[in-house]
């Protein structure tokens, strides 16, 4: 049976964790290594010593990891995703957001704040060759406006920036992006750039 484990030092417990996941268990890093099984949701505090190694180890067992930080920053977020975490959030996030993170990562998505995700996507797209590696047969499946939105997102722009750039509403950007995802059979921004660059979409899942 799937369980929620919150990994921290001593009694560093946040009441919102209990409210979000009443059955959650507070454990030490040693207990997490001993008890974690495939499919468990494991939330790791980034103030733990050598937390990236712990995340990598538990992710390798098939656990679904989120890193929580009292002072979130881009470098730490990259470390978390690189170690195999699917989520990165503020340790003091409200209950509704913690539950939202859990829904996203359970459905194979990645959860970080939107501005950071846009930068991660843009950097990866450039590393894969950017527009020089675009797959025209993939873009041919899209309308002109969908193509414009897809390329802007791939370059690392947030929905708000895309809306301003294309002189449309943010709601319209979301609608076009949803259509792009459906047509290409993908579920997130990272898979979009992999598909546009003709890479294996499964690579968008951390730890693979």
């Amino acid at each position: 049976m799937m369980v929620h484990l919150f990994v921290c030092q001593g009694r560093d417990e946040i009441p919102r964790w209990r409210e979000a996941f009443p059955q959650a268990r507070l454990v030490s890093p040693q207990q997490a290594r001993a008890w974690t099984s495939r499919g468990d949701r494991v939330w790791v505090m980034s103030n733990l010593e050598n937390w990236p190694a712990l995340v990598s180890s538990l992710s390798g067992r098939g656990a679904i990891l989120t890193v929580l930080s009292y002072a979130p920053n881009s470098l730490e977020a990259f470390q978390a995703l690189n170690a195999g975490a699917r989520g990165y959030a503020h340790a003091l996030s409200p209950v509704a957001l913690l539950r939202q993170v859990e829904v996203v990562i359970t459905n194979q998505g990645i959860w970080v704040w939107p501005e950071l995700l846009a930068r991660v996507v843009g950097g990866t797209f450039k590393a894969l060759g950017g527009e020089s590696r675009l797959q025209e047969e993939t873009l041919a499946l899209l309308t002109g406006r969908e193509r414009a939105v897809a390329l802007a997102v791939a370059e690392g722009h947030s929905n708000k920036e895309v809306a301003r750039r294309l002189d449309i509403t943010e709601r319209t950007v979301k609608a076009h992006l949803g259509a792009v995802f459906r047509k290409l059979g993908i579920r997130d921004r990272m898979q979009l750039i992999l598909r546009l660059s003709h890479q294996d979409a499964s690579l968008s899942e951390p730890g693979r």
Side-chain angles (χ1 to χ4, degrees):
M1 183 180 69
M2 181 272 292
V3 299
H4 280 276
L5 300 177
F6 284 88
V7 191
C8 57
Q9 293 283 17
R11 301 300 300 174
D12 184 21
E13 182 177 6
I14 306 300
R16 290 172 180 171
W17 301 353
R18 293 288 192 196
E19 188 177 345
F21 310 108
Q23 305 305 316
R25 302 175 69 178
L26 193 67
V27 300
S28 68
Q30 294 75 21
Q31 289 171 323
R33 286 190 172 93
W35 297 345
T36 297
S37 300
R38 176 172 294 277
D40 286 345
R41 311 300 189 262
V42 184
W43 307 71
V44 177
M45 289 297 302
S46 67
N47 59 3
L48 293 170
E49 184 177 354
N50 204 20
W51 63 266
L54 176 63
V55 170
S56 180
S57 173
L58 299 182
S59 176
R61 296 188 197 176
I64 300 175
L65 278 293
T66 299
V67 173
L68 297 172
S69 175
Y70 286 117
N73 61 82
S74 297
L75 176 59
E76 194 172 74
F78 289 134
Q79 286 181 295
L81 296 177
N82 190 54
R86 289 187 188 168
Y88 179 78
H90 200 296
L92 301 179
S93 295
V95 170
L97 191 143
L98 290 173
R99 289 175 177 163
Q100 180 185 359
V101 172
E102 199 265 344
V103 169
V104 170
I105 63 176
T106 296
N107 287 282
Q108 308 297 315
I110 296 173
W111 200 100
V112 294
W113 64 89
E115 292 79 6
L116 174 62
L117 180 58
R119 290 200 294 273
V120 171
V121 167
T124 304
F125 185 58
K126 290 175 184 175
L128 292 173
E131 292 203 32
S132 66
R133 291 287 303 277
L134 281 175
Q135 300 301 304
E136 289 299 328
E137 64 269 26
T138 297
L139 291 173
L141 300 172
L142 309 177
T143 66
R145 186 45 62 94
E146 289 167 355
R147 173 178 175 140
V149 169
L151 289 176
V153 166
E155 290 169 1
H157 297 289
S158 67
N159 287 357
K160 184 178 295 185
E161 291 169 337
V162 175
R164 190 180 306 120
R165 180 175 177 176
L166 300 180
D167 195 25
I168 56 179
T169 67
E170 196 169 345
R171 183 174 182 178
T172 301
V173 171
K174 292 179 180 179
H176 284 312
L177 198 53
V180 169
F181 288 174
R182 287 192 299 275
K183 287 183 178 181
L184 301 186
I186 56 178
R187 59 178 173 268
D188 58 38
R189 280 167 143 82
M190 192 63 75
Q191 285 195 332
L192 172 63
I193 62 163
L194 294 174
R195 181 69 183 274
L196 291 178
S197 304
H198 207 229
Q199 303 289 322
D200 182 356
S202 68
L203 292 175
S204 70
E205 295 179 26
R208 290 195 178 185

